[in-house]
Amino acid sequence: MFSYNHLFNFAQQVFQSMGCSEEDARLATECLLAADLRGVDSHGIARLIGYVRLWDAGRINPKPEIRIVHETPSTATVDGDSGLGLVVAPKVMDIAIKKAENAGSGWISVKNSNHFGIAGYHAMRALPHNMIGWAMTNASPLVSPTNGLDRLLGTNPIAIAIPANEEPDFILDMATTTAANGKLEVLQRKKQPAPLGWIQTKNGEDSTNPEELKLGGAMLPLGGASASYKGYGLGSVVDIFSAVLSGANYGPWVPPFVSFLPLPENPVGEGIGHFLGAMRVDGFRPADEFKAHMDNWIQTFRNSKAKAGETVLIPGDPERIISEQRLQEGIHLLDPVIKDLEELAKKFSLTF
Amino acid sequence: MFSYNHLFNFAQQVFQSMGCSEEDARLATECLLAADLRGVDSHGIARLIGYVRLWDAGRINPKPEIRIVHETPSTATVDGDSGLGLVVAPKVMDIAIKKAENAGSGWISVKNSNHFGIAGYHAMRALPHNMIGWAMTNASPLVSPTNGLDRLLGTNPIAIAIPANEEPDFILDMATTTAANGKLEVLQRKKQPAPLGWIQTKNGEDSTNPEELKLGGAMLPLGGASASYKGYGLGSVVDIFSAVLSGANYGPWVPPFVSFLPLPENPVGEGIGHFLGAMRVDGFRPADEFKAHMDNWIQTFRNSKAKAGETVLIPGDPERIISEQRLQEGIHLLDPVIKDLEELAKKFSLTF
């Protein structure tokens, strides 16, 4: 078990060793570790070495000059200057929040960025401002469209954070596939079969082999046999809003997260794309009124009749409960992750 | 088979007989028949008698004064004055488009409205303005949250329309349940079982009985056994954006479409809620650039490798193809629908 503070100090030093400013390194670390706290282990400190390898390969600029390249009062396109998504996205959220203060809402499409950790962290940045936060990103292509065999979409997540008053905030953070890639990685490590409906073979047959992607298979969009066109449609919207609006790479051209894979040829844009937004709740009705009704909405759902032995949860409940536990009890890391962190310590002459 | 024009003239006369102005009746008819054209038979002229019955019950105001009750440059809340959703929603879309012209985007939450037909029609209204259109609505509660037994959500659709250049526009229009209610109605008429994952019994067991809702059962959120929390989360976002932002009824308080069911007691708001938006693509990059890349996006997906005997479709393809057919060949109506229309003709002394 490692304490949050221990991991925070180490990750911050790694980012500073890559050349990030102290402020950017703190921001990137807070964002990265939000994944470990919220139980999305695949997107947290386990990925720190991946970011370092991208930096080693010259694909990450540790000192990006993030700038608005096109805008209206409530919209903008931002160039992330090849920065860490972990730094670019929170800074862009702050621009969206500023736009929302002035125009009621702010919607920003981002090009030339990199993987930004968990979408939920960015959406939640709007909450203290009594705003609804919105975060989406495209990602390395692993998913086939309905009826298709080629891998054309990432697991393209959507996160929406909505403030309540006395109740915990409503926080939806979901991949547009049946299962997030991180869940597949867990089954790979445990050598357990995947449920039907998560993946297909390279010929489009159902598969339960968690290693199927290495054989040319693909992940499947949310919705299952009769409704995967819905997950495919949502994943496509994420791709278009994140990259066709901004001028980032889309579809099969999205750069891979792993540095050992080559960049796709003939890119159609720059880097990876995100779409981030903030909307003032008092752009619609007084914030205290809205938040009182959110409390009522949440209580109505939470107190509704559940199946025997089950509970009706509100989006964000599981992550909040894990987060409280891990802040107190510490964060468990798998041996391969500890090995990676020790390698990073050696590389940068740090102590883990 | 009935021609589009024949059905248009008749429906318009019915709406005028209810007291709608000629202009509003035309708008309502165009919106209603968009469902018949696009193959969503459940939401089209088959529902005309349902709207008339709501009007008979005093739940629809044929001469609404639609007004903005709260606003910022890019957001607003609109009171639909108990109007037909078929009239309120297109007029609100036009307000959203106007806001987008000035502020880059416009997002409007609507209270005190009624059922608005298919969401896709409203989203598509933004397309000729080189804008992305967005339409959502809450609806009569038929859906249980994950792990739950109570019916707390409607099939709460999301429609997103994105303009392309030479390719047909990208139009996603989806319920946030595994299957739209209309698909269940088709199985009821054909007396065929429903696929597993569409519905559950009142005790939460899997069911294939298409009449299960009459026995206290519920529809299930998009996502299936391992991921229905995603459909539940999306349906919840639709409910909150449409009704908690605007001050409409949410969750179990949403008024039923059928006039023979009583209105829920102790309402938490006014009428049904919608959330409608428009976003200028040139709020992000020049429109011609965006649309050229949309063509490339669409062609890339359409021409990708498909399973044997299948085609990779773009969201909106099936509805567009049906629409072209039906405009030429006419629209087939089921006998019970024809009987309803004949009843309406008699009621209002019209000829069907």
Side-chain angles (χ1 to χ4, degrees):
Chain A
M1 285 291 203
F2 295 85
S3 77
Y4 176 75
N5 286 341
H6 180 81
L7 296 180
F8 196 105
N9 288 334
F10 180 73
Q12 187 185 340
Q13 288 178 64
V14 169
F15 286 124
Q16 285 184 243
S17 303
M18 282 167 59
C20 294
S21 70
E22 191 183 329
E23 191 199 331
D24 283 5
R26 283 190 70 80
L27 191 56
T29 303
E30 188 180 291
C31 178
L32 186 74
L33 290 191
D36 293 292
L37 282 184
R38 296 175 72 75
V40 194
D41 300 349
S42 54
H43 284 52
I45 199 152
R47 280 205 177 163
L48 184 57
I49 200 164
Y51 288 104
V52 172
R53 286 178 183 148
L54 284 174
W55 168 73
D56 267 334
R59 296 189 195 169
I60 283 179
N61 173 6
K63 291 193 167 58
E65 284 188 34
I66 297 162
R67 64 196 180 90
I68 295 175
V69 293
H70 193 108
E71 68 179 320
T72 71
S74 75
T75 67
T77 290
V78 164
D79 183 335
D81 195 20
S82 298
L84 283 164
L86 305 167
V87 169
V88 173
K91 290 190 176 181
V92 169
M93 269 308 290
D94 293 345
I95 300 174
I97 288 165
K98 185 65 76 180
K99 282 194 173 283
E101 279 167 6
N102 294 322
S105 71
W107 305 94
I108 302 184
S109 192
V110 184
K111 67 174 174 179
N112 208 1
S113 185
N114 277 288
H115 291 263
F116 75 8
I118 54 167
Y121 171 83
H122 307 295
M124 289 167 71
R125 223 169 153 86
L127 294 173
H129 303 271
N130 279 339
M131 294 182 189
I132 291 172
W134 194 292
M136 317 199 285
T137 186
N138 67 7
S140 321
L142 298 172
V143 183
S144 285
T146 303
N147 295 340
L149 297 176
D150 292 341
R151 303 202 295 213
L152 298 180
L153 290 169
T155 53
N156 295 6
I158 300 173
I160 299 166
I162 306 176
N165 186 24
E166 291 179 8
E167 293 291 332
D169 304 317
F170 174 108
I171 297 156
L172 177 66
D173 185 359
M174 53 171 268
T176 51
T177 41
T178 306
N181 196 23
K183 290 197 182 167
L184 209 55
E185 289 170 15
V186 170
L187 296 178
Q188 287 164 6
R189 283 196 292 268
K190 293 186 180 169
K191 300 195 187 307
Q192 289 176 353
L196 275 175
W198 287 24
I199 36 179
Q200 68 181 14
T201 68
K202 66 178 177 178
N203 299 317
E205 295 134 353
D206 292 338
S207 169
T208 58
N209 178 3
E211 307 283 353
E212 197 64 59
L213 267 66
K214 288 172 192 151
L215 307 172
M219 299 183 73
L220 293 171
L222 177 67
S226 69
S228 81
Y229 71 93
K230 299 184 181 187
Y232 158 44
L234 290 170
S236 300
V237 166
V238 173
D239 195 34
I240 293 165
F241 277 47
S242 301
V244 184
L245 276 178
S246 65
N249 288 293
Y250 47 79
W253 291 280
V254 178
F257 179 72
V258 288
S259 59
F260 59 82
L261 286 179
L263 290 173
E265 286 176 14
N266 307 314
V268 292
E270 295 171 84
I272 274 177
H274 318 308
F275 186 82
L276 299 158
M279 195 162 66
R280 266 166 51 195
V281 299
D282 70 358
F284 298 91
R285 71 193 298 187
D288 55 348
E289 247 180 68
F290 174 83
K291 288 163 78 176
H293 277 286
M294 270 311 291
D295 280 357
N296 186 40
W297 191 99
I298 290 170
Q299 285 156 10
T300 302
F301 279 70
R302 200 191 292 293
N303 299 331
S304 70
K305 215 167 137 195
K307 291 184 197 177
E310 302 279 3
T311 318
V312 176
L313 298 171
I314 306 302
D317 277 354
E319 296 90 342
R320 192 185 65 256
I321 292 162
I322 293 176
S323 196
E324 286 162 5
Q325 266 178 3
R326 291 190 172 181
L327 269 177
Q328 286 198 352
E329 298 167 16
I331 294 162
H332 175 74
L333 299 180
L334 295 175
D335 286 340
V337 175
I338 296 174
K339 247 180 91 178
D340 284 349
L341 296 177
E342 285 168 350
E343 190 185 316
L344 287 177
K346 206 170 149 193
K347 178 182 174 79
F348 293 120
S349 307
L350 301 170
T351 316
F352 175 58
Chain B
M1 286 292 203
F2 296 85
S3 77
Y4 176 76
N5 287 340
H6 180 82
L7 296 179
F8 196 105
N9 288 333
F10 180 73
Q12 186 185 341
Q13 288 177 64
V14 170
F15 285 125
Q16 285 184 244
S17 304
M18 282 167 59
C20 294
S21 70
E22 192 185 328
E23 191 200 329
D24 282 6
R26 284 190 69 81
L27 190 57
T29 303
E30 189 181 290
C31 178
L32 187 74
L33 290 190
D36 293 291
L37 282 183
R38 297 175 71 75
V40 193
D41 299 352
S42 54
H43 284 52
I45 199 153
R47 279 204 178 164
L48 184 55
I49 199 164
Y51 288 104
V52 172
R53 286 178 182 147
L54 284 174
W55 167 73
D56 267 334
R59 296 189 195 168
I60 283 179
N61 173 6
K63 291 193 167 56
E65 285 187 34
I66 296 163
R67 63 195 181 90
I68 295 174
V69 293
H70 194 107
E71 68 179 319
T72 70
S74 75
T75 67
T77 291
V78 164
D79 183 334
D81 195 20
S82 297
L84 282 163
L86 304 168
V87 170
V88 173
K91 290 190 175 182
V92 169
M93 269 309 289
D94 293 345
I95 301 174
I97 288 164
K98 185 65 77 181
K99 281 195 173 283
E101 278 166 7
N102 294 323
S105 71
W107 305 94
I108 303 184
S109 191
V110 185
K111 67 174 174 178
N112 207 2
S113 186
N114 277 288
H115 290 264
F116 76 8
I118 54 167
Y121 171 83
H122 307 295
M124 288 168 71
R125 224 169 153 85
L127 294 173
H129 304 271
N130 279 340
M131 293 182 190
I132 292 172
W134 194 292
M136 317 198 286
T137 187
N138 67 7
S140 321
L142 298 173
V143 183
S144 286
T146 303
N147 295 341
L149 297 176
D150 292 341
R151 304 202 295 214
L152 298 180
L153 290 169
T155 53
N156 295 6
I158 300 173
I160 299 166
I162 305 176
N165 187 24
E166 292 179 8
E167 293 291 331
D169 304 316
F170 174 108
I171 296 157
L172 178 67
D173 185 359
M174 54 171 269
T176 49
T177 42
T178 307
N181 196 24
K183 290 198 181 165
L184 209 55
E185 289 169 16
V186 170
L187 296 177
Q188 288 163 6
R189 282 195 294 268
K190 294 186 179 168
K191 300 194 188 307
Q192 288 177 352
L196 275 175
W198 287 25
I199 35 180
Q200 68 181 14
T201 68
K202 64 177 178 180
N203 300 316
E205 294 134 353
D206 291 338
S207 169
T208 59
N209 178 4
E211 307 283 354
E212 197 65 60
L213 268 66
K214 289 172 189 148
L215 307 172
M219 300 184 71
L220 293 172
L222 176 67
S226 68
S228 81
Y229 72 93
K230 299 185 181 187
Y232 158 44
L234 290 170
S236 300
V237 166
V238 174
D239 195 34
I240 293 165
F241 277 47
S242 300
V244 184
L245 275 178
S246 65
N249 289 293
Y250 46 80
W253 290 280
V254 178
F257 180 72
V258 288
S259 60
F260 59 82
L261 286 179
L263 291 173
E265 287 177 14
N266 306 316
V268 292
E270 295 171 83
I272 274 178
H274 317 308
F275 186 82
L276 299 158
M279 195 162 64
R280 267 166 51 196
V281 299
D282 71 356
F284 297 91
R285 69 193 297 187
D288 54 348
E289 246 181 68
F290 174 83
K291 288 162 79 176
H293 277 286
M294 269 311 291
D295 281 356
N296 187 41
W297 191 98
I298 290 170
Q299 285 155 10
T300 302
F301 279 70
R302 202 191 291 294
N303 300 332
S304 70
K305 215 167 138 196
K307 291 185 198 178
E310 303 279 4
T311 319
V312 175
L313 298 170
I314 306 302
D317 277 354
E319 296 91 343
R320 191 185 67 256
I321 292 163
I322 292 176
S323 195
E324 285 161 6
Q325 266 178 4
R326 292 190 172 182
L327 270 176
Q328 287 198 352
E329 297 167 17
I331 294 162
H332 175 75
L333 299 181
L334 295 174
D335 287 341
V337 174
I338 296 173
K339 246 180 92 178
D340 284 349
L341 296 177
E342 285 168 352
E343 191 186 317
L344 287 177
K346 206 170 148 192
K347 178 182 175 82
F348 293 120
S349 307
L350 302 170
T351 316
F352 175 58

